[in-house]
Amino acid sequence: MTKTFIAISLLFLFFSCKEVKKDTNPPAMAVADTISKVPEKKAPFVWDGANIYFLLTDRFKNGNIENDTTFGRTDSTATLRGFMGGDIAGITQKLNDGYFSDLGVNAIWFTPVVEQIHGATDEGTGNTYGYHGYWAKDWTALDPNFGTKKELETFVKTAHEKGIRVLMDVVVNHTGPVTDEDPVWPSEWVRTEPPCAFTTYENTTACTLVANLPDILTESDAPVELPDALLAKWKEEGRLSNELDELQLFFERTGYPRAPRFYIIKWLADYVNDLGIDGFRVDTVKHADEKAWAELYKEASHAFDTWKKRNPTQVLDDNAFYMVGEVYNYGISSGRDFDFGDKKVDFYDHGFHSLINFELKHDATNKSYDAIFSKYHKLLRTKLKDKSIVNYLTSHDDGAPFDKDRTDPIRAANVLLLTPGASQIYYGDETARSLVIEGTQGDATLRSMMNWEELDSLPEIQKINKHWQKLGRFRDHHPAVGAGNHKRLGKKPYVFSRTYMKGDFKDKVVVGLELPKGKKSLWVKGFFGDGTKLFDTYSQTPVEVKNGKVILDNEHDIALLELVE
């Protein structure tokens, strides 16, 4: 009997230790939540209600100090316009720390990591390097300041292991600026004038976005040769033959002409094919011929399907490849059309399931919660039926964001994370990272290093972060929040429901906002019947519906109610 008991005990200890090793060094804040999180993860992932975290790779976390300076980028720069050390390894570190999981993030969008121009450029704002990732020099290589291909592979695998999708930011319509170290691409590839005027389709697409930003001839089907500078670079790096062979196979398979956009499409799809990238966030969409985006989506989808077939054990679900576009100044009220002035284009019909919605920041300022939620619910089921949007309140290039001074980060969380559609947290929204940095010019003020020190040391920042965590996890656990049907249940206090159904899966939640402190009554009649056992995840309180109401007694002005399984 004793030997049997000892053997069983040792087996139990062995398997317990194996389970613990699956997630080493979990943050203390997350340990208590582990048990309650596990069953919630059974909910299907839905892009229409995704909780996306957007970060500047160079400004999030420095995970490898050995790559902080590369290509001799040592010239002094204007404030916040040089590389500051953030990298792919840093993102992976925070994944392993549980930071994203604690926030309820289920997709990460990171700025481009392809090789940037080597030199600095000064366009009236002081010396600037390509720290932001949007100034490509070679789409086929990673910039060593951001990391290696192996580190990118590790990042994607780590994210997938935690149920988090990866959105790669991609640029097709322009190269990086011209510098002494970075010659202009051949005229068969790019135009260097005229500058865009933004009043017609022609002067928005067939032009340079800004001065010294050569524009790819995305409308052209004329075959072109590879630039001599790129061929010489590949030869010096010992990969010329391999790159040329891959291009030959690509053009033989697809039958595309060797026009500029198809080279870039091939190079970007390779990251999907090799790593299982789940989707693209596409930059400057309205500045290229729209047919390019449908072609990009087709090839990226082919690459995604190919990767899934090669890696069946790593496939997360049956979601298709996802593409969201940045059509600057597009708003949900426009429906599916973007108006260039003399021409309207439906980008949703050219590869995009979602577009970034520039409208929410105005709604957050001018409308009540219910006015916002009802508006978005209606538009997503009429004008944008079967398509979606990605909402944001702050970003890397919006100089007039919601609450720039960070005076109301709680309302920002409530609006962003509870509005129908997908949500985009901009790094530091959840920690009130300052968007007003002394000495900066233009967009640089939006792009400071992530304020980890403040999160570690300031109780007021920790309180804000905890609120974002609670709402984010609730959103992650419940597709109904972002992708479900919205209905107001009570006006004062404000109570609403969300319902999502897909196949055999059904999700129902109730949320209360602007609730009185102390004892409060939430009207749920007609949605949850008497006797239904619910759980308020915000206050961690079990409740039961009685007489069509739920009674809570706490100091919170918000309630997040879910069914008790």
Side-chain angles (χ1 to χ4, degrees):
M1 287 288 289
T2 304
K3 289 182 179 179
T4 302
F5 177 79
I6 292 173
I8 292 172
S9 299
L10 287 172
L11 280 171
F12 177 79
L13 180 62
F14 172 73
F15 284 111
S16 297
C17 291
K18 285 186 72 176
E19 289 300 309
V20 169
K21 289 179 181 178
K22 284 184 179 179
D23 189 8
T24 57
N25 301 320
M29 197 181 298
V31 173
D33 297 329
T34 303
I35 295 175
S36 63
K37 283 183 184 178
V38 173
E40 302 284 5
K41 288 296 182 180
K42 293 179 182 178
F45 172 78
V46 183
W47 277 112
D48 291 353
N51 192 23
I52 302 167
Y53 193 94
F54 168 37
L55 58 89
L56 262 72
T57 307
D58 180 68
R59 301 295 161 88
F60 186 64
K61 181 74 167 65
N62 192 345
N64 179 10
I65 61 173
E66 299 298 320
N67 64 13
D68 287 0
T69 303
T70 66
F71 294 130
R73 293 168 172 148
T74 57
D75 290 347
S76 61
T77 66
T79 304
L80 288 180
R81 289 187 173 271
F83 286 90
M84 297 184 69
D87 48 33
I88 296 165
I91 308 173
T92 304
Q93 282 185 9
K94 299 310 290 185
L95 272 167
N96 285 324
D97 288 347
Y99 184 77
F100 298 103
S101 297
D102 286 345
L103 265 177
V105 166
N106 47 35
I108 297 173
W109 152 23
F110 61 107
T111 47
V113 292
V114 301
E115 187 173 331
Q116 299 295 287
I117 60 169
H118 295 182
T121 181
D122 183 352
E123 306 304 329
T125 53
N127 262 0
T128 303
Y129 282 113
Y131 68 90
H132 43 63
Y134 295 101
W135 290 350
K137 181 183 181 76
D138 182 355
W139 278 272
T140 70
L142 294 198
D143 194 294
N145 261 93
F146 301 133
T148 65
K149 185 81 173 282
K150 183 64 179 176
E151 287 171 326
L152 181 57
E153 179 182 12
T154 300
F155 160 46
V156 176
K157 284 186 176 179
T158 305
H160 285 173
E161 287 168 0
K162 296 181 180 299
I164 297 173
R165 277 75 181 164
V166 174
L167 282 174
M168 190 172 184
D169 204 330
V170 298
V171 182
V172 175
N173 87 294
H174 63 264
T175 68
V178 180
T179 77
D180 291 341
E181 299 174 55
D182 308 285
V184 66
W185 287 52
S187 59
E188 294 81 9
W189 276 79
V190 300
R191 61 173 63 84
T192 55
E193 58 180 6
C196 295
F198 312 115
T199 59
T200 68
Y201 178 84
E202 182 74 13
N203 69 30
T204 302
T205 60
C207 51
T208 61
L209 181 58
V210 295
N212 195 23
L213 197 65
D215 187 71
I216 297 289
L217 303 176
T218 54
E219 76 278 12
S220 174
D221 288 328
V224 297
E225 298 295 328
L226 287 162
D228 289 341
L230 189 61
L231 292 171
K233 178 179 182 293
W234 288 350
K235 184 176 182 180
E236 183 179 350
E237 294 170 354
R239 56 192 181 97
L240 175 61
S241 178
N242 185 63
E243 293 295 341
L244 294 178
D245 288 347
E246 286 191 9
L247 284 167
Q248 181 68 23
L249 291 172
F250 172 78
F251 285 112
E252 286 179 354
R253 176 181 66 80
T254 62
Y256 295 135
R258 289 179 176 251
R261 71 183 183 279
F262 291 115
Y263 284 97
I264 300 171
I265 286 171
K266 185 270 180 193
W267 294 332
L268 293 174
D270 282 349
Y271 293 100
V272 181
N273 179 80
D274 297 346
L275 304 175
I277 298 288
D278 302 278
F280 285 157
R281 178 270 185 185
V282 184
D283 188 57
T284 53
V285 166
K286 70 178 182 181
H287 299 291
D289 190 297
E290 60 271 15
K291 66 185 179 184
W293 307 129
E295 293 156 345
L296 175 65
Y297 179 73
K298 178 181 178 182
E299 294 311 316
S301 295
H302 177 271
F304 194 46
D305 292 342
T306 301
W307 179 84
K308 282 185 171 183
K309 290 174 183 176
R310 285 201 320 269
N311 302 276
T313 61
Q314 298 181 45
V315 176
L316 293 176
D317 53 38
D318 60 356
N319 273 303
F321 188 79
Y322 175 78
M323 253 176 44
V324 54
E326 180 226 24
V327 180
Y328 208 87
N329 285 333
Y330 165 83
I332 186 174
S333 296
S334 300
R336 292 187 55 149
D337 288 333
F338 182 80
D339 192 350
F340 284 87
D342 61 343
K343 178 181 178 179
K344 293 182 179 181
V345 173
D346 178 359
F347 288 105
Y348 285 102
D349 203 31
H350 291 84
F352 293 103
H353 181 78
S354 299
L355 296 181
I356 293 173
N357 172 42
F358 287 71
E359 202 166 315
L360 184 63
K361 64 174 187 172
H362 303 295
D363 292 331
T365 302
N366 302 317
K367 296 180 182 294
S368 67
Y369 287 125
D370 191 58
I372 298 171
F373 301 158
S374 299
K375 168 186 172 179
Y376 281 61
H377 164 78
K378 180 179 179 180
L379 288 171
L380 286 167
R381 279 153 185 79
T382 52
K383 288 185 177 183
L384 292 180
K385 185 173 174 58
D386 299 324
K387 299 294 182 179
S388 192
I389 52 169
V390 173
N391 294 312
Y392 81 95
L393 292 177
T394 66
S395 79
H396 64 317
D397 58 4
D398 188 337
F402 172 74
D403 191 25
K404 189 169 186 175
D405 293 324
R406 303 294 199 186
T407 59
D408 199 352
I410 300 303
R411 177 173 171 82
N414 294 349
V415 170
L416 181 65
L417 298 178
L418 297 175
T419 294
S423 57
Q424 172 234 293
I425 302 170
Y426 183 45
Y427 78 107
D429 282 350
E430 76 283 13
T431 56
R433 177 179 62 86
S434 177
L435 302 177
V436 185
I437 309 299
E438 186 176 353
T440 57
Q441 294 187 54
D443 295 340
T445 194
L446 308 169
R447 304 172 179 180
S448 60
M449 282 298 290
M450 178 64 176
N451 56 332
W452 297 115
E453 295 82 4
E454 291 182 343
L455 177 59
D456 289 340
S457 61
L458 300 180
E460 63 267 31
I461 299 298
Q462 293 166 354
K463 182 178 179 181
I464 291 166
N465 184 247
K466 191 66 177 177
H467 181 76
W468 281 79
Q469 286 181 334
K470 288 181 178 182
L471 266 68
R473 288 206 297 263
F474 189 71
R475 182 184 179 92
D476 177 35
H477 297 162
H478 295 286
V481 176
N485 285 300
H486 168 84
K487 183 179 180 181
R488 188 176 74 185
L489 300 179
K491 188 174 182 179
K492 194 172 183 180
Y494 178 48
V495 182
F496 65 88
S497 66
R498 298 276 170 84
T499 310
Y500 176 82
M501 297 180 65
K502 184 176 181 181
D504 295 333
F505 178 79
K506 185 174 183 179
D507 188 29
K508 298 177 65 176
V509 298
V510 164
V511 176
L513 290 175
E514 300 178 318
L515 305 176
K517 292 186 177 182
K519 194 170 185 179
K520 66 210 85 186
S521 173
L522 282 69
W523 187 256
V524 298
K525 187 174 183 179
F527 191 73
F528 287 132
D530 284 357
T532 303
K533 296 185 185 303
L534 303 174
F535 187 72
D536 174 25
T537 67
Y538 199 90
S539 65
Q540 296 288 289
T541 306
V543 291
E544 183 176 330
V545 180
K546 294 180 180 178
N547 300 318
K549 295 179 290 187
V550 164
I551 305 298
L552 288 166
D553 192 350
N554 57 48
E555 294 304 299
H556 302 304
D557 63 358
I558 181 173
L560 305 172
L561 299 173
E562 61 186 5
L563 281 164
V564 175
E565 298 296 331

